[in-house]
Amino acid sequence: MSKKNILKINQFSIFFYSILICIIFYYCERFLGIDRFYHPDSLYYLTRHEKLFSFGNPTLFMNTGYHYLSRIFDYNYLYLIILNFFIFGLTNVMVFNLVFKNNSIILTKFQILILSIILFFDPFRLHLTGHILKETTLIFLILSFLYF
């Protein structure tokens, strides 16, 4: 792929392929026997914690923000996984715009290939996305500060 073609890549295709790779990786993990509750935090975020939701202390939200997100989605595993996939796709679009669009002139073809592999096939990020964990949301929020 030439450098000029990178600038023509549609953001929607980056988003779509990111979600498709998430789904494939999700089912590969299940096929390999990695349970969806492999991480203890996954089950913890799906458990109702009513005493965490005190509106009298605003700093409590900073420590329990993902619990609020779980509560919004009624502690539903499927909804939270779909949200993770969606956030992963948006994060990849932001990374693509930050790295490739701004630096495509100074990057070599090999560097573009390596960065593309890291962007789409990072097993650690894909693993975190396939579980109910707050890291996918945190990565998105950190990159949002850089992007906007």
Side-chain angles (χ1 to χ4, degrees):
M1 176 179 290
S2 71
K3 293 178 186 180
K4 293 177 186 175
N5 290 341
I6 288 180
L7 297 175
K8 296 178 184 176
I9 294 177
N10 187 353
Q11 293 180 1
F12 180 74
S13 62
I14 297 287
F15 180 76
F16 174 75
Y17 287 124
S18 297
I19 291 179
L20 183 65
I21 290 168
C22 279
I23 292 168
I24 292 169
F25 195 83
Y26 178 82
Y27 283 109
C28 285
E29 277 193 339
R30 299 309 165 265
F31 178 75
L32 293 172
I34 299 175
D35 188 38
R36 63 184 186 169
F37 299 119
Y38 173 76
H39 294 280
D41 288 350
S42 294
L43 194 56
Y44 178 72
Y45 289 128
L46 292 174
T47 306
R48 296 183 187 279
H49 298 300
E50 297 302 327
K51 61 184 172 189
L52 291 176
F53 301 104
S54 170
F55 294 103
N57 187 359
T59 60
L60 191 63
F61 178 75
M62 297 303 289
N63 297 328
T64 60
Y66 200 77
H67 289 286
Y68 284 98
L69 190 63
S70 295
R71 188 176 187 186
I72 289 170
F73 288 101
D74 197 30
Y75 304 98
N76 188 314
Y77 176 82
L78 181 63
Y79 295 159
L80 288 168
I81 285 293
I82 290 172
L83 176 69
N84 273 355
F85 289 177
F86 184 78
I87 289 173
F88 182 84
L90 289 177
T91 303
N92 282 352
V93 169
M94 285 192 300
V95 169
F96 177 78
N97 287 332
L98 284 170
V99 174
F100 291 105
K101 293 253 179 156
N102 296 336
N103 300 317
S104 65
I105 296 168
I106 57 175
L107 295 174
T108 65
K109 288 182 183 180
F110 181 71
Q111 289 172 326
I112 290 171
L113 175 69
I114 296 299
L115 285 173
S116 299
I117 291 171
I118 291 171
L119 174 64
F120 289 110
F121 300 110
D122 180 15
F124 181 66
R125 278 185 56 222
L126 284 167
H127 173 74
L128 293 175
T129 301
H131 297 276
I132 305 297
L133 298 170
K134 64 184 173 193
E135 281 74 15
T136 304
T137 308
L138 289 175
I139 292 169
F140 173 75
L141 290 174
I142 290 169
L143 279 174
S144 294
F145 287 118
L146 292 174
Y147 190 74
F148 297 110

